[in-house]
Amino acid sequence: MGANHYYYLIWDRRHPGESQPSKDISSTEWTQLPAFAERAAKAGISITVYLVPPSESSSTTYRPFGWDYQKWFSAVGQVAQAHPNIKAIALDDFASNTVLRIHDANHQPFRPDDVTGMVRAARSHAPWLRFYAVMYSQDLVSPTAVLPAYRNVIDGVILAFAGPKQYLHAVQNTTDSSGALREARRARQLTQCQSSAECLQVAFPDARFRMRLPQAVSLERSVRIERGTTSVLRFSALDDRSSPSVASYSLSVTIDGHQAPVQRTQGADGWTNYTAQVVAQSSGSAKLRLTVDARVGSRGFGLSLDDVEFRAGSTSATLQPNGWDVSASGGGRASLVRKLDLVFLVYCAPFGREAGIAGAADSQYVASVLDQVRPLIDEGAIDGVVAYRLNLLGKSVNGYGGGDPASFAVVQRYFRGLRNAG
């Protein structure tokens, strides 16, 4: 069908208090992984091992390693060492299982340090393995966004599109394909830097994790100025607010201790361009300070700074993101971040509350979503497309609807078209 990658799900979906599965699903799928990987390699197919989190499993039935995800990752790494077509590990519903989102004390939340240890365990056997977190738009930009806190411990995001306005916590709706392109573009903006491999991210925690108020992050560095000349600072910023009422912030710039008025203009793809300038009162080395003051509601947010240019008189320089001295208050922090891989996921079968709704995730829906994101593939803006729960016969499996059997031909044509386009 033109696919060159397979997401190998090791499934449990048995919660505490439910009856034991009729067969040991996860152990069987785990045991069969090496043989599957060998056959996939012969067919030229790479693999991402797709695990489920504590919210979709229990510590006793998700065998063989339960909720010890460091063991899971290490074991996948050992299999990948012998089968290098295993390229990555993915974790379903990652955001709702993090320390920033967890609501159930029975679940073991993933902290950034936990993820770092998990990935390190996998790469101790197979250094090429990447870790992809399955997220929805609301996990990137909303009152419960977790991306800023976890951006430096993951390698990519699998964006699961489940209907329009997910960033506003809209109810899942796979009968409405509108907005697929818009949400994919927004996700791309939030997972990349504008003009370089790295950029600065200023992030603030939400109300539950604030250390103190006010919240501010200041970036400072030395620059050369000439008395009587105009010093100009230009930079671009992208924030992850879903609306101005959710969180707000102000930017201020001082050069040689003098406040530089800041002007802002809307740039391309959601970035905002800022310009600050002031006439230098002295010559020589001076301090350039850029301060972000946050007024955060019930949530935190992240602000990416990129393309920072400073000009003093006739001399200009690009200020590298790793050259700033950082001071922070109220739990705010600044860190270097890099572009993440972005994979787009389309549902090819109804799930959850939509299992009995006519038209949910049918072939027309699948075709519409795929057609919308095609321009992003052609631009090289996204790194892959996953047809999730695609079923050739459309049969129900383990009580989950199998979807529209016509979707297979839709995806087949689409994938073959991508192959033909190179």
Side-chain angles (χ1 to χ4, degrees), residues 123-185:
R123 289 179 180 161
S124 68
H125 304 287
W128 61 86
L129 284 177
R130 301 179 71 74
F131 172 54
Y132 292 152
V134 177
M135 295 187 183
Y136 295 83
S137 292
Q138 65 199 37
D139 305 322
L140 308 183
V141 48
S142 83
T144 55
V146 303
L147 180 65
Y150 288 82
R151 180 164 174 171
N152 274 341
V153 297
I154 65 177
D155 296 299
V157 169
I158 300 172
L159 178 69
F161 179 73
K165 296 186 177 180
Q166 284 283 297
Y167 64 94
L168 294 177
H169 282 259
V171 176
Q172 70 188 49
N173 180 1
T174 59
T175 64
D176 186 352
S177 64
S178 62
L181 177 59
R182 179 179 61 250
E183 296 208 11
R185 280 199 184 279

Side-chain angles (χ1 to χ4, degrees), residues 7 50 90-93 132-141 147 156-163 166-167 179-191 341-347 365 369 373 376 382-388:
Y7 282 63
Y50 194 109
L91 195 56
D92 200 33
D93 282 354
Y132 292 152
V134 177
M135 295 187 183
Y136 295 83
S137 292
Q138 65 199 37
D139 305 322
L140 308 183
V141 48
L147 180 65
V157 169
I158 300 172
L159 178 69
F161 179 73
Q166 284 283 297
Y167 64 94
L181 177 59
R182 179 179 61 250
E183 296 208 11
R185 280 199 184 279
R186 185 65 170 168
R188 178 72 285 173
Q189 294 161 7
L190 293 167
T191 54
D341 292 342
L342 179 64
V343 177
F344 186 88
L345 184 153
V346 56
Y347 285 95
Y365 170 85
V369 171
V373 299
L376 296 182
I382 58 177
D383 302 288
V385 175
V386 182
Y388 185 67

Side-chain angles (χ1 to χ4, degrees), residues 29 31 59 96 106-107 171 198 203 212 238 255 308 323 370 401:
E29 291 171 344
T31 302
S59 58
S96 57
N106 293 319
H107 293 169
V171 176
E198 289 185 319
R212 59 187 182 277
L238 176 72
I255 301 173
V308 180
L370 292 177

Side-chain angles (χ1 to χ4, degrees), residues 181-352:
L181 177 59
R182 179 179 61 250
E183 296 208 11
R185 280 199 184 279
R186 185 65 170 168
R188 178 72 285 173
Q189 294 161 7
L190 293 167
T191 54
Q192 70 177 2
C193 297
Q194 185 182 31
S195 61
S196 58
E198 289 185 319
C199 52
L200 270 169
Q201 176 184 265
V202 176
F204 297 92
D206 69 22
R208 293 171 297 163
F209 297 94
R210 281 186 214 162
M211 296 171 64
R212 59 187 182 277
L213 290 174
Q215 296 193 100
V217 172
S218 290
L219 309 171
E220 190 173 84
R221 68 194 301 157
S222 295
V223 292
R224 301 291 298 181
I225 61 174
E226 299 177 41
R227 180 173 178 157
T229 62
T230 301
S231 298
V232 181
L233 180 71
R234 288 193 176 94
F235 58 94
S236 302
L238 176 72
D239 67 53
D240 67 349
R241 294 176 298 167
S242 54
S243 68
S245 63
V246 172
S248 60
Y249 62 89
S250 61
L251 287 166
S252 62
V253 175
T254 59
I255 301 173
D256 195 23
H258 298 278
Q259 191 81 22
V262 179
Q263 295 179 331
R264 55 179 291 172
T265 57
Q266 195 62 39
D269 292 333
W271 288 82
T272 301
N273 298 322
Y274 291 87
T275 303
Q277 57 185 20
V278 68
V279 176
Q281 303 299 308
S282 61
S283 297
S285 179
K287 290 294 183 183
L288 167 63
R289 177 183 285 265
L290 171 61
T291 302
V292 183
D293 289 289
R295 297 180 294 279
V296 184
S298 61
R299 55 153 296 185
F301 75 98
L303 175 75
S304 296
L305 300 174
D306 197 7
D307 199 22
V308 180
E309 179 187 353
F310 180 73
R311 189 179 77 240
S314 60
T315 304
S316 64
T318 299
L319 305 180
Q320 299 300 317
N322 59 356
W324 296 90
D325 295 324
V326 178
S327 59
S329 63
R333 62 192 184 278
S335 57
L336 288 174
V337 295
R338 65 192 187 282
K339 178 182 178 181
L340 299 176
D341 292 342
L342 179 64
V343 177
F344 186 88
L345 184 153
V346 56
Y347 285 95
C348 297
F351 69 108

